[in-house]
Amino acid sequence: MPYGSRLAAMMTRRIGRECVYTPSARLALYLALRRWCRPGGRVLMSPVNDDVILFVVLAAGLRPVQAPVSQWDGNIDPAAVPKTTWRNVDAVLTTNLYGMPDRVVELRRRCDELGIPLIEDAAHAIGTHVDGQPIGTFGQAAAFSLSKHVAGMAGGFLAVDDVRTRRELELLRDDLLTPRRLRHDLTTTLRPLARSAVRSLHLVRPVWRTMQRLGLLERDDFRMALHAPRLAGSARHAPSLAAYEPWVRVDLHGFRSRHGALVRGQLELRMALLDGDLARRRAGVSLLAGTTWATPALRERTAHDGPPGLFRVPLLVHDRNALVARLVDHGVVAGYVYDPPLDDYAGAEFVEPSPDPSAARWFAAHTLPADPLLARRITDALTRELATPAHPPIPARTPEPDTTTKTPPTPLGQ
């Protein structure tokens, strides 16, 4: 029986696609990039994204091309991408930032016209739908995470269309897995329980401050240290996970460790609770969508389709960085801030910069990701802190038609 097949079957029943179980979403994404993109290819992606994803793309031997984004959700704005860029990219990678969906219908149409793959990063979007269709079913492949909605601190999936592709990817995954270690399995199992205990006992502030003082956090800021000379040297070995492991492993050292029955069993229990988790998130999103800090896009989506089960709710505030620091005193640690955008963070040596970075810079600097499970606490804290809502200075774009075509590439391994 293939590794993780019971978990994969649970996910297959949920979204209706063949699924490969992986120790993490970042490994799932690496598998997809290796399978559908040739080394040296150019991947269009949002610059408002986790830096780990940038390093996964680099590890796959690919050139990240930063796209203009929507000022309301940080996802790719297809109409703002220049025609010359569309003609010269080899794949598109979505973000579905915080669970707010990418414009997947438009992106899929353009990818089909160009003959290039659409790969969905659905790590934040396990409960997100577009026109009744789940995110993760629009592209050639989709990477999901169990460390987000069910707080498993490990586990992921790669969803694909057919059994043959799934089996090919299982073989590639098995080659990349590192041996199981009992100590790691115990740590992975206990960390979610410890985090829940810290919250239940109202110890978030002292624990977080102590970790900061002792230097136990891997990021001194929102982004990890780039170490540019070392990163440049790693390019000589790409595609290679091992060469980029110092960056790809940050915040999740066991991202490709083979999980034993202890970890997999806990994740099965957590997956069984996913629908309840999503219901609680929808209730929190409903509360946050009614606040003065919510984006118009969130309010419109909530009014039209009901509140989505977002991983985080993107609130737009002035003095975001100061608020993040002060929220710790209210027992709220606001993670998943992606500032500065990746092209400003990494520079032209490692990415192709966006032709219009203004919306990404503004969105990244003003977004406060709010956990919908803590909606009441967060709204109370922001009210006490007199948080001021932020409004973007630039108007929305008008979509323009694009009918460019491109010869389809041959997928890796075919």
Side-chain angles (χ1 to χ4, degrees), residues 68-404:
V69 303
S70 163
Q71 60 193 350
W72 297 119
D73 58 25
N75 288 321
I76 296 172
D77 180 354
V81 177
K83 291 183 175 66
T84 53
T85 300
W86 279 119
R87 286 194 292 268
N88 290 286
V89 294
D90 301 288
V92 174
L93 173 63
T94 68
T95 307
N96 300 297
L97 190 61
Y98 305 130
M100 294 292 288
D102 267 89
R103 290 134 186 87
V104 284
V105 174
E106 173 66 8
L107 290 173
R108 179 60 191 259
R109 180 187 69 80
R110 289 179 182 258
C111 286
D112 287 348
E113 289 176 353
L114 295 167
I116 61 175
L118 175 67
I119 298 173
E120 298 178 80
D121 182 348
H124 292 179
I126 201 169
T128 299
H129 292 71
V130 172
D131 297 334
Q133 183 175 336
I135 285 293
T137 59
F138 289 87
Q140 271 71 16
F144 289 92
S145 172
L146 290 180
S147 66
K148 306 297 188 297
H149 281 74
V150 298
M153 307 295 286
F157 301 100
L158 183 63
V160 296
D161 278 337
D162 58 83
V163 173
R164 177 183 174 184
T165 304
R166 187 204 76 208
R167 288 173 177 166
E168 291 175 1
L169 288 161
E170 285 172 344
L171 294 174
L172 179 56
R173 172 205 61 191
D174 291 347
D175 286 341
L176 293 170
L177 293 177
T178 55
R180 180 180 70 87
R181 295 179 181 175
L182 179 59
R183 180 179 177 182
H184 176 263
D185 277 8
L186 289 171
T187 301
T188 302
T189 303
L190 293 174
R191 281 182 66 193
L193 303 177
R195 184 167 64 177
S196 296
V198 165
R199 284 185 173 178
S200 299
L201 296 172
H202 305 289
L203 297 174
V204 170
R205 179 177 179 272
V207 168
W208 185 257
R209 297 297 191 205
T210 299
M211 292 177 69
Q212 286 179 315
R213 293 190 190 100
L214 295 178
L216 299 178
L217 303 176
E218 289 193 272
R219 301 171 193 257
D220 294 328
D221 207 339
F222 299 137
R223 299 292 193 188
M224 71 177 82
L226 189 69
H227 300 297
R230 186 179 178 189
L231 184 63
S234 297
R236 295 193 298 269
H237 307 286
S240 167
L241 264 185
Y244 287 85
E245 190 147 345
W247 296 272
V248 177
R249 72 196 293 261
V250 167
D251 298 330
L252 190 60
H253 289 200
F255 78 96
R256 60 179 180 133
S257 297
R258 179 181 287 273
H259 293 150
L262 184 65
V263 174
R264 299 199 309 273
Q266 183 202 89
L267 292 176
E268 287 174 21
L269 293 174
R270 289 181 175 275
M271 271 204 76
L273 301 174
L274 177 57
D275 288 329
D277 177 272
L278 290 171
R280 290 189 294 275
R281 289 178 182 277
R282 283 190 284 268
V285 170
S286 181
L287 174 61
L288 291 166
T291 68
T292 186
W293 311 288
T295 69
L298 177 62
R299 293 196 193 103
E300 181 180 346
R301 180 173 173 81
T302 300
H304 186 267
D305 300 318
L310 300 183
F311 171 57
R312 292 289 185 268
V313 177
L315 303 179
L316 298 177
V317 296
H318 282 294
D319 300 320
R320 193 272 318 282
N321 293 1
L323 275 172
V324 166
R326 295 201 300 271
L327 283 176
V328 176
D329 294 331
H330 297 272
V332 176
V333 175
Y336 304 97
V337 174
Y338 304 129
D339 187 30
L342 292 175
D343 35 9
D344 290 339
Y345 163 67
E349 181 179 2
F350 301 108
V351 307
E352 182 173 315
S354 168
D356 183 1
S358 55
R361 287 171 178 163
W362 188 90
F363 182 84
H366 292 86
T367 303
L368 177 69
D371 187 343
L373 301 181
L374 303 175
R376 181 65 64 185
R377 183 185 301 180
I378 290 171
T379 54
D380 289 347
L382 292 177
T383 300
R384 288 194 211 105
E385 294 290 344
L386 303 177
T388 306
H391 303 285
I394 52 179
R397 295 178 177 273
T398 301
E400 66 176 81
D402 188 349
T403 57
T404 56

Side-chain angles (χ1 to χ4, degrees), residues 45-75:
M45 59 186 290
S46 166
V48 187
N49 204 334
D50 194 340
D51 39 27
V52 166
I53 303 306
L54 167 67
F55 298 121
V56 170
V57 174
L58 292 173
L62 304 169
R63 174 74 169 172
V65 177
Q66 306 305 288
V69 303
S70 163
Q71 60 193 350
W72 297 119
D73 58 25
N75 288 321

